Amino acid sequence: METTARTRVPRNTLSAELIVASALNLLDQVGVEAFSLRALAKNLGVAPMTLYTYFRGKDELLDAVRDHALGAAALTTAYGGWQHQIRTICRRLRGQILEHPCLTGLLQQRPLAGHESAESAESLLKALVEGGFNAENAARAYTTLLGFVVGVTTLEVRLLEENRDPERREKVRQIMTGLPPERYPTLVEHAGALRQTVGGDTQFEFGLDLVIAGMEQRLILAG
Amino acid sequence: METTARTRVPRNTLSAELIVASALNLLDQVGVEAFSLRALAKNLGVAPMTLYTYFRGKDELLDAVRDHALGAAALTTAYGGWQHQIRTICRRLRGQILEHPCLTGLLQQRPLAGHESAESAESLLKALVEGGFNAENAARAYTTLLGFVVGVTTLEVRLLEENRDPERREKVRQIMTGLPPERYPTLVEHAGALRQTVGGDTQFEFGLDLVIAGMEQRLILAG
DNA sequence: ACCTGAACACCGTTCAAGT
DNA sequence: ACCTGAACACCGTTCAAGT
């Protein structure tokens, strides 16, 4: 969790890094929706306009936060066969999103990151090319993996939030129990299984297994 | 595009359906971020507070819009083997997101839909169970498919938007060409392939093939 | 029931100004 | 350069009121 930076900052100690760290903190707490520059400025003990000395505006700040939050996902290097390398990188990306839930919103609005995400992209592409995929299929597999990891983890974060909030949890329960069984027989019968498989490493690994198994087969067939 | 409903509505002809249709229109035009109740009310030729006669607030309206936009994805029934059924449903879901790009934001914030999405869920689960998956694996496969389709299609929509906007397109190009080749050799070498595989049915089918191939193998191994 | 205007507490950002 | 207050054009929503 590092420095919270929620108290007044002494004069001339403000910096882009400090603002980004504090913004990430606030974003994870209140969500991308409720985040505001004015609230961030108040946390930093500074006038709203001060932030404009460091960033052109809200969008630029959010981009910086996304890159910063993504940065830690690119630290260690992957090893082993291409399957294992890909597993490692995807797990790391998911871990970073779980640690900073605001990444779901930030990545949805601006998928392309700067240098920080170039690290992950390089590692993934390298593993795929070394694994034997040709240029087109390596590119396609990369995009598939990125969309899959972000999509599945975003869904996971939202469902876990729904479970945490008692009010929303009750509302979801009501919708599910209110479904007419003659119209949605399978859904009603499997409601329990669906609830029990929400979130967790097992669910993520299940999906990752599917994609990688599909990639192995594809590699044998076409390269 | 149906009824645009952007002119003044005669007295007593306003309805929840009309508001939802107009809201969907505005949301697709300006995006979830820039959408506001006040702008919607202006489009409808009505005072902002009038909307509160039909919806408790903005969130409830957005939920209604999401369900409405998702509705058309559940119209036709899937047929054939479980693989073909799943393909059909996933393609339909993607098609609906492409037709209504605001669904990327709406589904990200509120993944669980009402009856409208129950239709898709029922079809997907039914195909999986009939295909031979046990309760747990059918539930896991369902969640994987949902996350995959929404995630990959969201990425597609964002990348296509980036290609459309000349300013953002140029910025992305600059970032890519500015990457040091000695640090990101694979990424730099495959920048062209990445650009060429952005969006389109081929890219989506590539990913869907991977997931379904993985599911076929999983079915043989474990049920 | 359906619809409204005024008001409240917000928001991002421009501008002119201070150090 | 770093930081500020006042102001502008917004926003969602509450409230009291009209038909």
Side-chain angles (χ1 to χ4, degrees):
Chain A
M1 288 295 124
E2 307 171 33
T3 51
T4 335
R6 203 157 300 110
T7 55
R8 172 172 281 275
V9 173
R11 287 195 156 262
N12 268 325
T13 53
L14 207 55
S15 69
E17 293 78 39
L18 200 64
I19 293 173
V20 166
S22 184
L24 177 56
N25 222 292
L26 185 56
L27 277 160
D28 279 335
Q29 277 177 40
V30 304
V32 181
E33 289 258 89
F35 171 82
S36 78
L37 292 184
R38 293 177 110 111
L40 174 63
K42 188 175 257 182
N43 274 1
L44 289 166
V46 113
M49 283 315 296
T50 306
L51 303 175
Y52 284 78
T53 310
Y54 299 88
F55 300 94
R56 209 184 299 275
K58 195 181 183 183
D59 282 357
E60 199 177 293
L61 172 59
L62 290 180
D63 279 353
V65 171
R66 178 207 54 196
D67 289 349
H68 174 71
L70 232 43
L75 285 184
T76 54
T77 41
Y79 58 95
W82 64 270
Q83 297 95 329
H84 189 261
Q85 288 184 47
I86 283 175
R87 260 176 226 284
T88 305
I89 300 161
C90 289
R91 283 177 188 145
R92 227 187 279 146
L93 183 53
R94 167 171 174 264
Q96 213 57 23
I97 298 176
L98 290 181
E99 190 158 344
H100 297 294
C102 70
L103 274 174
T104 57
L106 297 179
L107 288 171
Q108 194 260 330
Q109 283 169 37
R110 298 282 180 89
L112 245 70
H115 280 239
E116 313 293 355
S117 87
E119 216 75 44
S120 294
E122 170 69 19
S123 310
L124 273 176
L125 270 178
K126 184 159 160 275
L128 291 166
V129 172
E130 283 180 359
F133 287 94
N134 62 39
E136 183 188 333
N137 285 346
R140 295 207 183 279
Y142 165 77
T143 303
T144 301
L145 283 168
L146 188 62
F148 164 78
V149 173
V150 174
V152 161
T153 309
T154 295
L155 185 57
E156 178 179 0
V157 168
R158 282 298 103 76
L159 294 178
L160 288 176
E161 280 174 4
E162 240 156 30
N163 268 358
R164 232 186 319 275
D165 182 1
E167 194 181 339
R168 286 186 60 74
R169 190 192 166 100
E170 175 58 20
K171 203 186 155 200
V172 169
R173 203 194 58 77
Q174 273 185 3
I175 290 176
M176 287 305 282
T177 54
L179 290 175
E182 65 275 11
R183 185 153 181 200
Y184 308 108
T186 327
L187 184 55
V188 169
E189 190 191 336
H190 292 75
L194 278 171
R195 213 179 325 111
Q196 285 187 329
T197 54
V198 162
D201 294 349
T202 312
Q203 171 64 38
F204 183 74
E205 296 292 332
F206 179 94
L208 195 54
D209 281 347
L210 295 189
V211 178
I212 291 182
M215 287 169 62
E216 282 175 334
Q217 183 184 316
R218 171 100 208 178
L219 191 58
I220 293 167
L221 292 175
Chain B
M1 288 295 124
E2 308 170 29
T3 52
T4 337
R6 202 157 303 108
T7 56
R8 172 172 282 274
V9 172
R11 286 196 156 260
N12 268 325
T13 52
L14 206 55
S15 68
E17 293 78 40
L18 199 66
I19 294 173
V20 166
S22 184
L24 176 56
N25 222 291
L26 185 57
L27 277 159
D28 279 334
Q29 277 177 42
V30 304
V32 181
E33 288 256 270
F35 171 82
S36 78
L37 292 185
R38 294 177 108 111
L40 174 61
K42 189 175 256 180
N43 275 0
L44 289 166
V46 112
M49 282 314 297
T50 305
L51 303 174
Y52 284 78
T53 309
Y54 298 88
F55 299 95
R56 209 184 298 273
K58 194 182 185 184
D59 283 357
E60 199 177 293
L61 172 59
L62 290 180
D63 279 353
V65 171
R66 177 206 56 195
D67 289 349
H68 175 72
L70 231 44
L75 284 185
T76 54
T77 41
Y79 60 94
W82 64 270
Q83 297 95 329
H84 190 261
Q85 287 183 48
I86 283 174
R87 260 176 225 285
T88 305
I89 300 161
C90 289
R91 283 177 188 144
R92 227 187 279 146
L93 182 54
R94 166 171 175 264
Q96 213 56 23
I97 298 175
L98 291 180
E99 189 158 344
H100 297 293
C102 71
L103 274 173
T104 57
L106 296 180
L107 287 172
Q108 194 259 331
Q109 282 169 38
R110 298 281 180 89
L112 245 69
H115 281 238
E116 313 292 356
S117 86
E119 216 75 44
S120 295
E122 170 69 20
S123 309
L124 273 177
L125 269 177
K126 184 159 161 273
L128 291 165
V129 171
E130 282 178 0
F133 287 95
N134 62 40
E136 182 188 334
N137 284 347
R140 294 207 183 281
Y142 165 77
T143 303
T144 300
L145 284 168
L146 188 62
F148 164 79
V149 172
V150 174
V152 160
T153 309
T154 295
L155 185 56
E156 179 179 0
V157 168
R158 283 296 105 73
L159 294 177
L160 288 176
E161 280 175 4
E162 238 155 32
N163 268 359
R164 231 185 322 273
D165 181 3
E167 193 181 340
R168 286 186 61 73
R169 190 191 167 102
E170 175 58 20
K171 204 186 153 199
V172 169
R173 202 194 57 79
Q174 275 186 2
I175 290 176
M176 288 305 282
T177 54
L179 289 174
E182 65 276 11
R183 183 148 183 204
Y184 308 108
T186 327
L187 184 55
V188 169
E189 191 191 334
H190 292 75
L194 279 171
R195 214 178 326 109
Q196 284 187 329
T197 55
V198 162
D201 295 348
T202 311
Q203 172 63 38
F204 183 73
E205 297 292 332
F206 181 93
L208 195 52
D209 281 347
L210 295 189
V211 177
I212 291 182
M215 287 169 62
E216 282 174 333
Q217 184 184 314
R218 171 98 209 179
L219 192 56
I220 294 167
L221 291 176

